[in-house]
Amino acid sequence: MHLATYSNRDAGRMLAHYERSIGERDHIDRDLPVYNLAPEHDGGSLGRYRELCEGLEIGAKTKPLADLVVTMPKGFEGGVGEFFRAAYGFLRDRVGDGRIVSAYVHLDEPGAQPHMHFAFVPIVESAVMTNDKAHPLRWTARDEEKNPDHRAGTVKRDSKGTVRYRRVPLVGDDGKPVMRRTATASKLFTKADMAALHPEMEKHLCAALGVERVGVLLDEDDKNRKWSSLDHDDYELVTAQRDKALAEVEKADRELSRVRAQVTECKAKIDGFAARFEKLKTELAQIAEALSVRGFLGSFKAKLIEFAANPICKAALAAGRDFMTARDGRRAEKVLVDGAREKVGEMGELSREMDEWSLLDEAGDMRGARRELDGHEAPARSRGQAR
């Protein structure tokens, strides 16, 4: 439920909107019903509005037309008609028959919840206020803290230098306060009144409709609660935009989850490539280091023992037997050279795998994977020894 107020200038346009005398509108389906729960008056809604405003003090800033918009909650499973009749009865009792202009129920907006525009003139009587020249206002210590020019205890003056006085009710010759009639929604419905309006209406509707919960009173965790102070049109617009944004966020979240899964898969693939590349680089470096001392059989054998975890070095160690003769060294050397060629071939195959994966993977360009591995190239010496 939302309370909106309108100036005298805007009243005619809003009343025409309520009773649908505004011509064609894109968001309105003329085949769907609109009806008024308030009594009909000569001259229609505008005539009734003018009748109620007669004799009121209406200034340039006065907003004599008020509109309480009641939207049927989405979770309500009862009948539309009985819901709005009960809501109208509650508001009629609160506002009073003598202030009501109209109460049009709109069922003609496809995609929007059924709602009622309870239009009224918030007629109030208030005392005419005047300055009490015997009691000028004075700045306080707190005022001085905010602005040192406002020295505590000195008389308050406005920006033009005019003294400000305490406002008091104007008293007539008969000794009674002089009253005036005007239209002020904030005096008819104070902030405390508005805060109590939702729970009171919820209670009334539950009793009138015989249900435990209607949903006019928003729960603390209801996503619409923060927007409930907006007027109906703004409320519909904001909640529609919010729902659209949430749908886009959910879509983006799903896409993000998919991309994260792909990134995880890509990282695992890259880690696998890197591990294989590192293993090949280490094995080729060990082969190259062993070949660098092949002319010294004792050192040659010692290196092959040191790198015995490398299958090729282990095979070369077995081929060299006792490493007592040049022939023993040549047999071990041949095993290392053949093994190095095999490892270079494996490197070429790994490079092809990376190229094929980069082109076909759904995550797109995987050149980053190659860049990550660029730092793991085998030393030139090992390639030269392999030849």
Side-chain angles (χ1 to χ4, degrees):
M1 183 162 51
H2 327 286
L3 175 63
T5 56
Y6 302 97
S7 67
N8 200 30
R9 192 167 121 187
D10 292 330
R13 173 177 59 84
M14 296 309 301
L15 292 171
H17 165 71
Y18 304 152
E19 64 185 15
R20 293 301 194 238
S21 59
I22 52 176
E24 295 298 324
R25 292 292 186 273
D26 292 339
H27 70 292
I28 294 173
D29 185 343
R30 292 290 184 180
D31 293 330
L32 296 177
V34 171
Y35 58 90
N36 182 21
L37 289 172
E40 297 291 342
H41 296 274
D42 293 338
S45 298
L46 185 57
R48 172 61 172 170
Y49 168 75
R50 288 172 175 168
E51 175 190 339
L52 292 175
C53 289
E54 189 174 346
L56 299 183
E57 291 186 21
I58 298 177
K61 296 182 179 180
T62 306
K63 294 186 175 181
L65 178 64
D67 176 18
L68 275 167
V69 185
V70 181
T71 302
M72 189 176 77
K74 290 184 178 180
F76 180 68
E77 297 179 354
V80 174
E82 61 178 349
F83 171 83
F84 286 114
R85 283 193 296 273
Y88 173 79
F90 171 79
L91 293 177
R92 180 194 59 210
D93 293 342
R94 289 299 304 269
V95 171
D97 288 314
R99 296 186 178 96
I100 299 173
V101 176
S102 62
Y104 278 94
V105 176
H106 288 176
L107 308 177
D108 60 345
E109 299 178 29
Q113 277 295 101
H115 54 275
M116 175 177 65
H117 290 277
F118 186 89
F120 61 99
V121 176
I123 301 170
V124 292
E125 280 195 354
S126 59
V128 175
M129 305 300 288
T130 186
N131 290 331
D132 182 356
K133 296 296 182 72
H135 294 91
L137 298 177
R138 298 182 182 277
W139 298 113
T140 65
R142 187 172 182 181
D143 293 328
E144 187 174 356
E145 286 178 8
K146 295 178 181 179
N147 186 342
D149 292 337
H150 298 161
R151 295 179 58 190
T154 60
V155 174
K156 279 188 179 183
R157 296 178 183 273
D158 62 20
S159 59
K160 296 180 180 180
T162 304
V163 175
R164 296 171 61 186
Y165 296 95
R166 186 173 65 179
R167 300 286 287 172
V168 295
L170 177 64
V171 178
D173 295 336
D174 58 358
K176 296 180 180 179
V178 177
M179 306 299 290
R180 68 188 181 103
R181 295 178 75 245
T182 186
T184 308
S186 60
K187 291 184 178 179
L188 187 63
F189 285 101
T190 64
K191 288 185 177 180
D193 294 330
M194 288 303 299
L197 197 60
H198 279 88
E200 289 174 2
M201 175 177 266
E202 176 77 11
K203 183 178 179 180
H204 172 87
L205 292 178
C206 287
L209 301 174
V211 295
E212 292 185 0
R213 184 178 187 275
V214 174
V216 171
L217 176 63
L218 300 180
D219 296 329
E220 289 295 334
D221 59 350
D222 194 300
K223 63 182 181 180
N224 293 322
R225 187 178 181 87
K226 66 176 70 175
W227 315 119
S228 62
S229 61
L230 299 174
D231 66 43
H232 178 73
D233 291 340
D234 287 342
Y235 175 84
E236 290 290 333
L237 177 62
V238 168
T239 53
Q241 289 176 338
R242 180 210 57 204
D243 292 343
K244 181 180 179 181
L246 287 175
E248 290 175 353
V249 168
E250 289 176 3
K251 181 181 178 181
D253 191 53
R254 290 193 298 271
E255 181 66 14
L256 179 60
S257 298
R258 185 183 70 83
V259 171
R260 280 176 175 167
Q262 287 184 333
V263 168
T264 300
E265 182 182 350
C266 290
K267 186 178 183 303
K269 196 78 170 179
I270 291 172
D271 290 345
F273 285 145
R276 288 168 62 189
F277 205 105
E278 188 66 29
K279 184 173 182 292
L280 288 170
K281 181 191 76 171
T282 300
E283 289 176 343
L284 281 170
Q286 290 173 346
I287 292 171
E289 189 172 343
L291 284 171
S292 68
V293 294
R294 65 185 180 279
F296 307 94
L297 293 179
S299 299
F300 192 21
K301 181 179 181 180
K303 279 295 179 186
L304 292 176
I305 292 173
E306 180 183 347
F307 300 141
N310 183 331
I312 293 175
C313 292
K314 185 176 181 180
L317 181 63
R321 297 177 184 174
D322 297 329
F323 286 84
M324 298 299 293
T325 65
R327 188 174 180 181
D328 290 342
R330 286 195 296 273
R331 286 198 303 270
E333 180 182 351
K334 184 177 185 305
V335 171
L336 290 179
V337 171
D338 290 344
R341 287 174 179 159
E342 179 184 331
K343 294 300 175 184
V344 169
E346 289 182 20
M347 270 199 166
E349 178 61 29
L350 176 60
S351 181
R352 283 191 294 274
E353 284 184 39
M354 290 171 59
D355 287 337
E356 291 173 1
W357 178 69
S358 298
L359 291 172
L360 298 177
D361 193 88
E362 290 182 359
D365 188 2
M366 289 292 112
R367 285 176 295 184
R370 290 297 303 271
R371 286 197 296 271
E372 185 172 327
L373 299 177
D374 281 346
H376 300 299
E377 291 185 3
R381 190 173 70 175
S382 67
R383 292 195 295 271
Q385 292 291 350
R387 293 193 187 94

